[in-house]
Amino acid sequence: MEKTLNEFKRLIEILDELREKCPWDRKQTNESLRIQTIEEVYELSDALLNNDADEVKKELGDVLLHVAFYAKIGKENGQFDLYDVIHGICEKLIFRHPHIFGDVKAETAEQVKENWERIKLKEAPKKTVLGGVPESLPSIIKAYRMQDKARGVGFDWDKREQVWDKLNEEYNEVLLETAISDNQDKIEAEFGDLLFSVINAARLYGVNPDTALERTNRKFKNRFGYLEQKTIQQGRDLKDMTLVEMDKIWEESKKLYK
């Protein structure tokens, strides 16, 4: 622990010096750092999905630097400092885990999550159940988080199998709308309802839809890359191939990338 604290102190001292002496670091603001922070978090996400421990370690360092940088700017503006940030999260963790630091009972992870949502509403009585979901979240993650928060206050199916009837209903509405209408606004709305239901089904079966879709994205990228490479090896162009010819190579790729 002492070694870790010493390195953390070293990070703060390095950042202080950079903020004073480096022209680039000196000119940074919350606004200029925001997009870079988002990029760093996505790079961390990639490393986690790749299960690359070295990259995870590196990207965590980058994210930690950004946390320290925002705290440094907050201190310069007389708003807060790193102590306030750390103290705040310590107090929040203790308050939101009464089953560990208090006398509340919670035997399962689901009970912990339900207690967590109720406590968050008590912390900010005027805040709505879905008010804590950031507007700028990617749509799939936002839908998943909204559904999860609604579940935390009891708004959910009694049995998860019930979601399939709803999914079929939304699917049939898409089929009907696309068959009888050329109104893109209505068609888009029906596709949105269908996607929302698919995300809901994934949640009910313990699957993170964003992770699941990214897994399929990578699989498709690998298979399509194989298709392109095989085409190049044959001295041909994808645009000149028939779908039957492409499908034959695609079937080969499926054996390699599952």
Side-chain angles (χ1 to χ4, degrees), residues 157-187:
W157 300 105
D158 292 327
K159 297 179 180 179
R160 64 182 183 178
E161 293 81 4
Q162 294 171 309
V163 75
W164 299 118
D165 288 336
K166 181 62 176 175
L167 189 56
N168 284 326
E169 175 189 325
E170 298 297 351
Y171 172 68
N172 287 325
E173 288 180 5
V174 169
L175 289 181
L176 178 62
E177 195 63 46
T178 53
I180 67 173
S181 172
D182 59 359
N183 186 318
Q184 283 301 117
D185 187 60
K186 289 183 178 179
I187 292 172

Side-chain angles (χ1 to χ4, degrees), residues 191-207:
F191 268 106
D193 291 345
L194 176 60
L195 289 170
F196 195 83
S197 293
V198 170
I199 292 166
N200 205 15
R203 176 187 63 84
L204 288 165
Y205 282 83
V207 173

Side-chain angles (χ1 to χ4, degrees), residues 55-226:
E55 280 298 305
V56 170
K57 178 179 66 177
K58 182 175 83 67
E59 298 303 340
L60 281 172
D62 290 340
V63 171
L64 179 60
L65 170 61
H66 278 245
V67 172
F69 213 142
Y70 287 118
K72 173 70 175 172
I73 294 172
K75 183 178 181 180
E76 292 170 354
N77 293 336
Q79 299 165 326
F80 60 87
D81 60 14
L82 194 55
Y83 167 82
D84 297 319
V85 174
I86 297 172
H87 178 74
I89 190 59
C90 287
E91 292 298 306
K92 181 189 288 186
L93 286 171
I94 291 171
F95 183 71
R96 291 189 181 177
H97 289 80
H99 55 290
I100 301 297
F101 302 104
D103 54 7
V104 173
K105 299 294 183 183
E107 303 295 336
T108 68
E110 286 302 310
Q111 290 174 335
V112 171
K113 288 177 69 176
E114 289 171 8
N115 287 339
W116 181 280
E117 293 300 336
R118 292 192 189 100
I119 291 168
K120 286 171 71 175
L121 287 175
K122 289 179 182 178
E123 286 178 325
K126 294 182 180 179
K127 199 172 188 179
T128 63
V129 172
L130 304 182
V133 180
E135 289 295 332
S136 57
L137 275 179
S139 297
I140 289 179
I141 299 174
K142 186 192 293 186
Y144 179 81
R145 291 294 295 132
M146 289 195 300
Q147 292 167 0
D148 196 46
K149 282 183 172 293
R151 179 208 55 79
V153 294
F155 188 78
D156 206 355
W157 300 105
D158 292 327
K159 297 179 180 179
R160 64 182 183 178
E161 293 81 4
Q162 294 171 309
V163 75
W164 299 118
D165 288 336
K166 181 62 176 175
L167 189 56
N168 284 326
E169 175 189 325
E170 298 297 351
Y171 172 68
N172 287 325
E173 288 180 5
V174 169
L175 289 181
L176 178 62
E177 195 63 46
T178 53
I180 67 173
S181 172
D182 59 359
N183 186 318
Q184 283 301 117
D185 187 60
K186 289 183 178 179
I187 292 172
E188 181 182 274
E190 295 299 344
F191 268 106
D193 291 345
L194 176 60
L195 289 170
F196 195 83
S197 293
V198 170
I199 292 166
N200 205 15
R203 176 187 63 84
L204 288 165
Y205 282 83
V207 173
N208 184 302
D210 187 71
T211 303
L213 182 58
E214 179 57 23
R215 179 176 179 177
T216 297
N217 285 341
R218 291 177 178 225
K219 181 168 58 180
F220 181 83
K221 182 178 180 180
N222 287 331
R223 289 177 179 178
F224 198 82
Y226 179 86

